[in-house]
Amino acid sequence: MTATDLPDLPRHVGIIMDGNGRWAQLRDQPRLSGHKAGAETVRDITRASRELGIEALTLYAFSSQNWARPVDEVAGLMELLRDFVIDERAEILDNGIRLEALGEIERLPALVREPLEELRTASAGNTKMVLTLALSYGGRESITRAARAAAREIVAGTLRVEDLDADKLGSYLPTAKLPALDLLIRTSGEQRISNFMLWEVAYAELMFVDVLWPEFRRAHLYECLKAYGTRERRFGLTSAQLADSSDV
Ligand code: IPE
Ligand code: IPE
Ligand code: MG
């Protein structure tokens, strides 16, 4: 599959990578082996997205709420994240990918934070694709931080209350530099957002795929992208209005 087969390629794809634990449980394996298998899917889907020419790929890797999981699982996930950042360094740099992170990065242990920050800096000039890992991330937490930043400016007298509209508040979000989220995919069959990009999802197309993340392959991504191309995104307008504007 190439980008020419997909004329309406989304600029920004987000993925809620769910189902690692169930994948392992089905095999009588510890949950962590599911996360390991899931890390392989991350590598493959990142590569496929880069090859297709998707501009931004945002992966929900660890939520603010996932800190409450068993200590061993959290520790194992942190080690896998570190391994991912270290092992993928060369490939990310060689392929012009910029690595970014969303979330409360300061809460991550140094073993993840340090190689992550190093690769963020090293890849900062890359322009082919931005790969964003949502780590220790929550959509509500992210909006709360933005609201706090705006409140600070109001208190300091550098922002007027009446100038705080949706665009302005959105500009404080860490996703403000990314293209608008076009497509959100969740694997594992669950149909919920689980605190991912609550603000950004406003006009994203949602797709819930009944495949566990370790079994999600390029072919599944292509199916999602094809289905995305068939959807009419109206942004509140009517179909007739959209047809008129495409005539001009
Ligand atoms: C997603 O898989 C990965 C993380 C949340 C870190 P899960 O671990 O949630 O897998 P299930 O949902 O229990 O199958
Ligand atoms: C969402 O999955 C978080 C990530 C994929 C990182 P969860 O498995 O944590 O979400 P719930 O608990 O099913 O809502
Ligand atoms: Mg889950």
Side-chain angles (χ1 to χ4, degrees), residues 18-19 22 69 186:
D18 197 23
R22 275 163 284 169
R69 288 193 178 192
R186 181 173 186 145

Side-chain angles (χ1 to χ4, degrees), residues 138-154:
R140 287 181 173 179
E141 288 77 358
S142 186
I143 294 168
T144 306
R145 276 190 177 194
R148 253 193 229 147
R152 250 182 244 117
E153 284 206 32
I154 290 170

Side-chain angles (χ1 to χ4, degrees), residues 84-96 119 126:
F84 176 81
V85 174
I86 292 172
D87 297 348
E88 294 307 290
R89 188 179 192 279
E91 171 133 5
I92 286 177
L93 293 175
D94 290 349
N95 284 288
L119 187 51
N126 289 350

Side-chain angles (χ1 to χ4, degrees), residues 39-58:
E40 288 309 312
T41 307
V42 173
R43 292 173 218 266
D44 191 42
I45 294 303
T46 302
R47 229 167 262 159
S49 303
R50 166 70 184 84
E51 285 166 20
L52 285 167
I54 290 169
E55 283 175 54
L57 175 68
T58 301

Side-chain angles (χ1 to χ4, degrees), residues 17-22 31 66 69 186 188 190 192 194:
M17 312 184 287
D18 197 23
N20 294 348
R22 275 163 284 169
R31 292 178 58 84
N66 289 150
R69 288 193 178 192
R186 181 173 186 145
S188 90
E190 304 297 355
R192 54 177 172 263
S194 300

